[in-house]
Amino acid sequence: MILKCIKTVATVAFAMVSINVAGQDLLARQAPIDRKLKAVDSLALVRQIKAEQAVYPAYSLYPTWENQRVHAYGNTVSVPDTFRIDLSGFCMPTTHTKITSKCGPRWRRMHNGLDIKVYIGDTIRAAFDGRVRMVKYERRGYGKYVVIRHDNGLETIYGHLSKQIVAENEYVKDGDPIGLGGNTGRSTGSHLHFETRFLGEVINPEFMFDFPNQDIVADSYLFIKGANRYAYQRTRALAAVKSGKMDQVVAKQQASEGNSSVRYHKIKKGDTLGRISRIYHVSIDRLCQLNGIKRTTILRPGQVLKCS
């Protein structure tokens, strides 16, 4: 009886060992298959990410995709203090090099882009890869215009076109024709109004695009919150980034935006920087800094200066 029990226990133990060995053999044979499946899953994930990026460029930065408003974000986005924008895959939107109006105050209004002299019918091209967010007409503003959101996070606006040759939600590559130069909307002559924005914040296109030399200024652009419109802002902010004092600059910029209103002065015959400084209680050096001019700059009637 005892011998029979010992045989039974030994048989069970041998069976368990055999099952364990067989299981290990099965796992060993399964391992290469699992690795292949993981590789397939990884490729599928990469394809899915690329597909999402193509459908919604910079989808990790922007909360929405809509085709109704150019400036659609307001307080709905979280704008980082700094962000590096890749400019390497670019195309100049036009081969023309003459800038007729710069970014900044103009005629008591803020001009948020560059005006480049083009002629009616000239080809206008996409500056980077991206998806067309808007193709609209605005009689008292941009005229016929196109807005593209790019893979690098920028949005570009092309205004006063005579014809738009892309459709909303269409994916375009850098250099693809998107429209023809024109004189539609609030315009006094044929030209291209070209804007560059990041999360709705204006970036002076001249900080990125060198139209006279038909090239970009650098392979990348360091976006600094609140310091992308004027040269004096940019110089000060870049120095702060290098010295590690960026938090102070951002706080100062936010306080300035929240506590003071922007004032402009339209130059009249006989106006001088000294007279304007006395009227608005601001130093001449500050006036020069706000407007990117020098003390020796000649003031022309009709010119608009920012005074605060």
Side-chain angles (χ1 to χ4, degrees):
M1 182 68 181
I2 295 172
L3 183 61
K4 187 176 181 181
C5 289
I6 292 172
K7 287 183 178 179
T8 302
V9 170
T11 302
V12 171
F14 178 76
M16 291 179 67
V17 170
S18 299
I19 291 171
N20 187 42
V21 171
Q24 290 177 350
D25 290 343
L26 179 61
L27 289 172
R29 290 195 300 272
Q30 185 68 27
I33 298 173
D34 288 343
R35 283 195 293 270
K36 289 180 181 178
L37 287 173
K38 286 180 180 178
V40 171
D41 289 344
S42 298
L43 289 172
L45 181 60
V46 169
R47 291 194 193 99
Q48 182 179 349
I49 290 172
K50 286 184 177 179
E52 288 178 355
Q53 287 175 332
V55 174
Y56 301 113
Y59 71 98
S60 61
L61 294 170
Y62 288 82
T64 60
W65 177 271
E66 60 113 298
N67 311 103
Q68 299 304 313
R69 293 176 297 161
V70 175
H71 316 305
Y73 311 113
N75 296 325
T76 64
V77 294
S78 177
V79 181
D81 290 342
T82 61
F83 186 85
R84 180 69 67 176
I85 300 172
D86 180 20
L87 303 179
S88 56
F90 81 101
C91 176
M92 299 300 289
T94 173
T95 57
H96 290 281
T97 61
K98 183 178 180 181
I99 296 173
T100 58
S101 186
K102 292 180 176 288
C103 182
R106 184 184 69 173
W107 306 327
R108 295 185 180 274
R109 298 167 62 93
M110 184 54 67
H111 188 233
N112 290 318
L114 289 181
D115 287 349
I116 302 100
K117 179 60 184 176
V118 300
Y119 298 94
I120 295 174
D122 285 345
T123 301
I124 307 301
R125 301 181 184 277
F128 302 97
D129 294 355
R131 187 167 292 277
V132 178
R133 187 165 69 84
M134 295 182 67
V135 178
K136 291 284 190 294
Y137 173 71
E138 190 178 89
R139 185 171 65 87
R140 294 186 177 180
Y142 292 116
K144 292 182 179 180
Y145 67 96
V146 172
V147 180
I148 304 176
R149 183 182 297 172
H150 301 288
D151 299 339
N152 61 6
L154 280 178
E155 284 196 330
T156 51
I157 303 166
Y158 311 78
H160 308 308
L161 305 173
S162 61
K163 185 177 182 181
Q164 301 129 308
I165 55 178
V166 288
E168 289 181 351
N169 303 311
E170 179 181 344
Y171 192 82
V172 295
K173 302 288 289 182
D174 66 280
D176 283 352
I178 59 169
L180 303 179
N183 186 30
T184 58
R186 188 186 178 91
S187 174
T188 57
S190 60
H191 69 278
L192 170 67
H193 174 82
F194 180 61
E195 284 186 31
T196 48
R197 291 175 178 259
F198 177 71
L199 294 171
E201 184 167 324
V202 172
I203 301 176
N204 187 336
E206 286 189 285
F207 292 162
M208 295 183 286
F209 290 87
D210 182 353
F211 278 90
N213 293 309
Q214 287 288 286
D215 200 357
I216 48 175
V217 174
D219 288 337
S220 66
Y221 175 80
L222 180 62
F223 170 88
I224 303 174
K225 186 177 181 181
N228 302 282
R229 193 189 295 265
Y230 301 110
Y232 80 88
Q233 290 178 327
R234 186 116 188 105
T235 301
R236 184 177 61 193
L238 286 172
V241 170
K242 290 180 181 178
S243 63
K245 298 179 180 178
M246 190 60 215
D247 291 343
Q248 297 176 21
V249 172
V250 171
K252 185 176 180 181
Q253 179 68 24
Q254 290 173 341
S256 173
E257 290 174 354
N259 297 330
S260 62
S261 58
V262 178
R263 294 178 297 174
Y264 298 100
H265 179 84
K266 189 173 183 179
I267 301 298
K268 305 179 185 66
K269 187 176 180 179
D271 275 346
T272 64
L273 287 175
R275 180 174 181 273
I276 296 169
S277 71
R278 290 191 295 273
I279 293 173
Y280 294 95
H281 305 288
V282 59
S283 70
I284 294 177
D285 287 340
R286 180 59 175 161
L287 282 174
C288 292
Q289 189 182 46
L290 286 170
N291 296 280
I293 60 176
K294 300 178 181 179
R295 284 174 171 262
T296 55
T297 299
I298 298 173
L299 303 180
R300 296 180 174 83
Q303 181 181 353
V304 177
L305 293 185
K306 185 177 181 182
C307 299
S308 65

